[in-house]
Amino acid sequence: MGSCKKEYGSQVKWLWVHGPIIVGAGPSGLAVAACLKENGVPSLILERTDCIASLWQQKSYNRLKLHLPKQFCELPLLKFPENFPKYPTKHQFISYMESYAKHFSIQPKFNQVVQTAEFDRVSGFWRVQTQDFQYFSRWLIVASGENAEPVIPEIQGIERFQGPVMHTSVYKSGSGFKNQRVLVVGCGNSGMEVSLDLCRHKAIPHMVARNSVHILPRETFGISTFAIAMALLKWLPLRLVDKFLLLLANFTLGNTDKLGLRRPKTGPIELKNATGKTPVLDVGALSQIKFGKIKVMEGVKEITKNGAKFIDGQEKEFDSIILATGYKSNVPRWLKGTDFFTKDGMPKTSFPNGWKGETGLYAVGFTRRGLLGTSSDAVNIAGDISDQWRKIKGCKISSSGSYILPR
């Protein structure tokens, strides 16, 4: 990391970073730091927690595996170990992240919570304020991701419920729920997998499917459904590929509408690209639904002291409630003075052009296309900044902090 600092007594007040400031030490932050380093550009990662990939290390359940084959989840410049399985486990993915950081000598500055980040138009630099320092740089890369904060929905009466209520971000295993009736709110990948995990630990999960959802087989005849889709998209229009995927799903999984899991009218890939809503890749939950081990419920009307009332008129008692309601970006809370992001914390410009803003602002990992999108962003950002870096490397800096190009 290239930087200099100003001290008052023993207290450091500010730090100048010669390369970009990267907010977030998840896969996105690590990927762009590695690509920058490969291009000879130093950087500084500010991470709010005490570890890299904190979402994976601190906020994921034990049975989690990558939903896609590992070749679609590799970060730039370093492959997964050959001995890793097709779908690496949570712990294997964390190991890969740690090896990645070590390989590229990436050393984030941990426990730095970014309170504000704003471009100073007088000096021409980004000013990033944490609880300890002010950091200054020509470039700011937002890598805090689409999944920075858990979404906690407002459900009528939930404050009256006498049992435990938790988000999947703190759920680890179903081992503590044996023989319990558990209400799982949400039917995405997390809701399905948590329900399956509860089922395998002899709990009695009831999964709320308020909205429509696409469910696809993770594999067809031993081949990843995602891999099939990616191959077809090279030759066929998106909507035709979506139709093929739905035919495949109906052939292998049957009509999910009969199980209370309505399919959206928009195809799975088109819906993912437009809204970020990921199709569920089934890893066993659907068979448990068919066997009646996982009960599918319509939307919750109200939470009661001992359970829930549903919009279809049913009322049931529950011991615990788990919110599988997803995550959201937290960018609007701390990034100021720019309209590059929407109020929901996503770049206004869609993929593949949402990685670059104005005045040295960049975004990585907001593509709604997983780690493949992250890799694309990281390579583009590193290339763009390295071009600027080479141009200013020999420049002098004036007393005001601006660059003076040599004549």
PDB file of all heavy atoms in Angstrom, residues 387-398:
ATOM      1  N   ASP A 387      -4.418   2.735 -16.653  1.00  0.00           N
ATOM      2  CA  ASP A 387      -4.129   3.692 -17.734  1.00  0.00           C
ATOM      3  C   ASP A 387      -3.900   5.087 -17.161  1.00  0.00           C
ATOM      4  O   ASP A 387      -2.962   5.793 -17.561  1.00  0.00           O
ATOM      5  CB  ASP A 387      -5.287   3.727 -18.737  1.00  0.00           C
ATOM      6  CG  ASP A 387      -5.348   2.483 -19.606  1.00  0.00           C
ATOM      7  OD1 ASP A 387      -4.337   1.756 -19.665  1.00  0.00           O
ATOM      8  OD2 ASP A 387      -6.411   2.233 -20.218  1.00  0.00           O
ATOM      9  N   GLN A 388      -4.761   5.473 -16.204  1.00  0.00           N
ATOM     10  CA  GLN A 388      -4.602   6.784 -15.563  1.00  0.00           C
ATOM     11  C   GLN A 388      -3.324   6.821 -14.716  1.00  0.00           C
ATOM     12  O   GLN A 388      -2.613   7.828 -14.682  1.00  0.00           O
ATOM     13  CB  GLN A 388      -5.806   7.090 -14.686  1.00  0.00           C
ATOM     14  CG  GLN A 388      -7.134   7.132 -15.418  1.00  0.00           C
ATOM     15  CD  GLN A 388      -8.296   7.221 -14.456  1.00  0.00           C
ATOM     16  OE1 GLN A 388      -8.354   8.113 -13.606  1.00  0.00           O
ATOM     17  NE2 GLN A 388      -9.231   6.291 -14.567  1.00  0.00           N
ATOM     18  N   TRP A 389      -3.053   5.727 -14.044  1.00  0.00           N
ATOM     19  CA  TRP A 389      -1.889   5.638 -13.157  1.00  0.00           C
ATOM     20  C   TRP A 389      -0.585   5.869 -13.924  1.00  0.00           C
ATOM     21  O   TRP A 389       0.303   6.588 -13.460  1.00  0.00           O
ATOM     22  CB  TRP A 389      -1.887   4.262 -12.493  1.00  0.00           C
ATOM     23  CG  TRP A 389      -0.714   3.972 -11.602  1.00  0.00           C
ATOM     24  CD1 TRP A 389       0.411   3.284 -11.927  1.00  0.00           C
ATOM     25  CD2 TRP A 389      -0.564   4.367 -10.239  1.00  0.00           C
ATOM     26  NE1 TRP A 389       1.249   3.206 -10.852  1.00  0.00           N
ATOM     27  CE2 TRP A 389       0.683   3.861  -9.798  1.00  0.00           C
ATOM     28  CE3 TRP A 389      -1.356   5.078  -9.344  1.00  0.00           C
ATOM     29  CZ2 TRP A 389       1.146   4.061  -8.506  1.00  0.00           C
ATOM     30  CZ3 TRP A 389      -0.899   5.268  -8.053  1.00  0.00           C
ATOM     31  CH2 TRP A 389       0.345   4.770  -7.639  1.00  0.00           C
ATOM     32  N   ARG A 390      -0.503   5.265 -15.094  1.00  0.00           N
ATOM     33  CA  ARG A 390       0.712   5.419 -15.906  1.00  0.00           C
ATOM     34  C   ARG A 390       0.890   6.865 -16.371  1.00  0.00           C
ATOM     35  O   ARG A 390       2.014   7.356 -16.481  1.00  0.00           O
ATOM     36  CB  ARG A 390       0.657   4.472 -17.104  1.00  0.00           C
ATOM     37  CG  ARG A 390       0.981   3.024 -16.747  1.00  0.00           C
ATOM     38  CD  ARG A 390       1.157   2.167 -17.981  1.00  0.00           C
ATOM     39  NE  ARG A 390      -0.119   1.911 -18.638  1.00  0.00           N
ATOM     40  CZ  ARG A 390      -0.891   0.864 -18.370  1.00  0.00           C
ATOM     41  NH1 ARG A 390      -0.517  -0.010 -17.431  1.00  0.00           N
ATOM     42  NH2 ARG A 390      -2.031   0.679 -18.997  1.00  0.00           N
ATOM     43  N   LYS A 391      -0.236   7.545 -16.625  1.00  0.00           N
ATOM     44  CA  LYS A 391      -0.160   8.924 -17.102  1.00  0.00           C
ATOM     45  C   LYS A 391       0.295   9.886 -16.011  1.00  0.00           C
ATOM     46  O   LYS A 391       0.969  10.876 -16.286  1.00  0.00           O
ATOM     47  CB  LYS A 391      -1.520   9.359 -17.640  1.00  0.00           C
ATOM     48  CG  LYS A 391      -1.903   8.681 -18.944  1.00  0.00           C
ATOM     49  CD  LYS A 391      -3.303   9.096 -19.387  1.00  0.00           C
ATOM     50  CE  LYS A 391      -3.702   8.363 -20.660  1.00  0.00           C
ATOM     51  NZ  LYS A 391      -5.090   8.692 -21.074  1.00  0.00           N
ATOM     52  N   ILE A 392      -0.094   9.602 -14.757  1.00  0.00           N
ATOM     53  CA  ILE A 392       0.214  10.554 -13.675  1.00  0.00           C
ATOM     54  C   ILE A 392       1.414  10.130 -12.835  1.00  0.00           C
ATOM     55  O   ILE A 392       1.822  10.860 -11.938  1.00  0.00           O
ATOM     56  CB  ILE A 392      -1.002  10.744 -12.741  1.00  0.00           C
ATOM     57  CG1 ILE A 392      -1.305   9.457 -11.981  1.00  0.00           C
ATOM     58  CG2 ILE A 392      -2.207  11.223 -13.506  1.00  0.00           C
ATOM     59  CD1 ILE A 392      -2.394   9.604 -10.935  1.00  0.00           C
ATOM     60  N   LYS A 393       1.970   8.965 -13.141  1.00  0.00           N
ATOM     61  CA  LYS A 393       3.042   8.436 -12.296  1.00  0.00           C
ATOM     62  C   LYS A 393       4.223   9.390 -12.195  1.00  0.00           C
ATOM     63  O   LYS A 393       4.834   9.544 -11.136  1.00  0.00           O
ATOM     64  CB  LYS A 393       3.503   7.079 -12.836  1.00  0.00           C
ATOM     65  CG  LYS A 393       4.370   6.304 -11.864  1.00  0.00           C
ATOM     66  CD  LYS A 393       4.663   4.911 -12.394  1.00  0.00           C
ATOM     67  CE  LYS A 393       5.529   4.135 -11.408  1.00  0.00           C
ATOM     68  NZ  LYS A 393       5.885   2.807 -11.932  1.00  0.00           N
ATOM     69  N   GLY A 394       4.541  10.077 -13.276  1.00  0.00           N
ATOM     70  CA  GLY A 394       5.690  10.984 -13.243  1.00  0.00           C
ATOM     71  C   GLY A 394       5.318  12.421 -12.967  1.00  0.00           C
ATOM     72  O   GLY A 394       6.161  13.315 -13.071  1.00  0.00           O
ATOM     73  N   CYS A 395       4.038  12.669 -12.589  1.00  0.00           N
ATOM     74  CA  CYS A 395       3.602  14.051 -12.366  1.00  0.00           C
ATOM     75  C   CYS A 395       4.053  14.577 -11.010  1.00  0.00           C
ATOM     76  O   CYS A 395       4.216  13.825 -10.060  1.00  0.00           O
ATOM     77  CB  CYS A 395       2.081  14.132 -12.449  1.00  0.00           C
ATOM     78  SG  CYS A 395       1.437  13.630 -14.030  1.00  0.00           S
ATOM     79  N   LYS A 396       4.193  15.888 -10.913  1.00  0.00           N
ATOM     80  CA  LYS A 396       4.435  16.546  -9.635  1.00  0.00           C
ATOM     81  C   LYS A 396       3.092  16.887  -8.995  1.00  0.00           C
ATOM     82  O   LYS A 396       2.067  16.974  -9.658  1.00  0.00           O
ATOM     83  CB  LYS A 396       5.235  17.825  -9.845  1.00  0.00           C
ATOM     84  CG  LYS A 396       6.633  17.600 -10.401  1.00  0.00           C
ATOM     85  CD  LYS A 396       7.332  18.921 -10.610  1.00  0.00           C
ATOM     86  CE  LYS A 396       8.729  18.701 -11.196  1.00  0.00           C
ATOM     87  NZ  LYS A 396       9.417  20.001 -11.429  1.00  0.00           N
ATOM     88  N   ILE A 397       3.113  17.100  -7.679  1.00  0.00           N
ATOM     89  CA  ILE A 397       1.895  17.465  -6.965  1.00  0.00           C
ATOM     90  C   ILE A 397       2.070  18.857  -6.377  1.00  0.00           C
ATOM     91  O   ILE A 397       3.071  19.144  -5.709  1.00  0.00           O
ATOM     92  CB  ILE A 397       1.573  16.451  -5.845  1.00  0.00           C
ATOM     93  CG1 ILE A 397       1.396  15.069  -6.454  1.00  0.00           C
ATOM     94  CG2 ILE A 397       0.341  16.852  -5.070  1.00  0.00           C
ATOM     95  CD1 ILE A 397       1.136  13.975  -5.463  1.00  0.00           C
ATOM     96  N   SER A 398       1.106  19.734  -6.631  1.00  0.00           N
ATOM     97  CA  SER A 398       1.186  21.113  -6.139  1.00  0.00           C
ATOM     98  C   SER A 398       0.855  21.165  -4.659  1.00  0.00           C
ATOM     99  O   SER A 398       0.417  20.179  -4.065  1.00  0.00           O
ATOM    100  CB  SER A 398       0.200  21.984  -6.914  1.00  0.00           C
ATOM    101  OG  SER A 398      -1.125  21.678  -6.527  1.00  0.00           O
TER     102      SER A 398
END
